[in-house]
Every structure is written in C-alpha cells, then in structure tokens.
Amino acid sequence: MVILTPCAFILPVSIVERVLLLGTLLLVLIVELLNSSVEAAIDRISLERHSLSKRAKDFGSAAVMLALVLCGGTWLAIGGPHLVGWIGSLLH
C-alpha cells in the first residue's frame, strides 16, 4: 500500500482510473480492519477452539483474499498496459 499509493499518482491515468486504483487499496485496508475486529471479538469471547469461531475467522480471511484479488486485478488491468509500454520503451 505504501508503494502503490504514490504509483497511483505517478501513473498517467484518468481521474476515474486513479480513483479505482486508490479505492481498491482502501477496500483492502477496510476489509483487513473488519477481519481483525472479528478475530479480536472471537478471541475475547473465548480462546477455546470452536467450529463456528474457526468458520468466522476463515470467512474473514477469505474476504481479505477476495479484496486482494480485486485490487491486484484492477492494478493489472489499469497499470499493466502502462508498465508494458514503459518496459518496451526501455528495451528499444
């Protein structure tokens, strides 16, 4: 996130694309915070292993993974062509 945020401002993209790039980064942060709060609440209730607690934590982790996949796909779709063009110009 620390590296990608400045990249969103450096890339020559439209305002809408810049908002998408930054928005997906923010979404990952939001989902990670919600996942951490679910895990903290479950651990506060009880430290004993329970199948429902495990499922809740797994669902939170899956939500973070899906947010990361969305973020990565967005960055590849928007920033990928610019990166390929930049590398191509360096090679020629």
Side-chain angles (χ1 to χ4, degrees):
M1 187 163 183
V2 173
I3 294 171
L4 291 179
T5 300
C7 288
F9 291 102
I10 294 170
L11 281 172
V13 295
S14 71
I15 295 295
V16 172
E17 291 171 323
R18 186 166 287 123
V19 168
L20 284 171
L21 293 174
L22 293 170
T24 56
L25 291 175
L26 187 60
L27 179 67
V28 170
L29 182 60
I30 290 168
V31 174
E32 182 59 49
L33 289 170
L34 290 171
N35 180 43
S36 296
S37 67
V38 166
E39 289 184 0
I42 288 173
D43 290 343
R44 168 66 176 93
I45 292 169
S46 174
L47 290 176
E48 71 182 48
R49 294 193 181 267
H50 192 278
S51 63
L52 292 177
S53 297
K54 181 183 179 327
R55 284 181 61 194
K57 288 183 175 186
D58 288 346
F59 289 153
S61 296
V64 172
M65 183 191 69
L66 289 174
L68 286 168
V69 167
L70 176 65
C71 183
T74 302
W75 275 85
L76 281 175
I78 294 173
H82 295 287
L83 182 63
V84 169
W86 179 71
I87 291 172
S89 67
L90 287 177
L91 295 177
H92 289 106

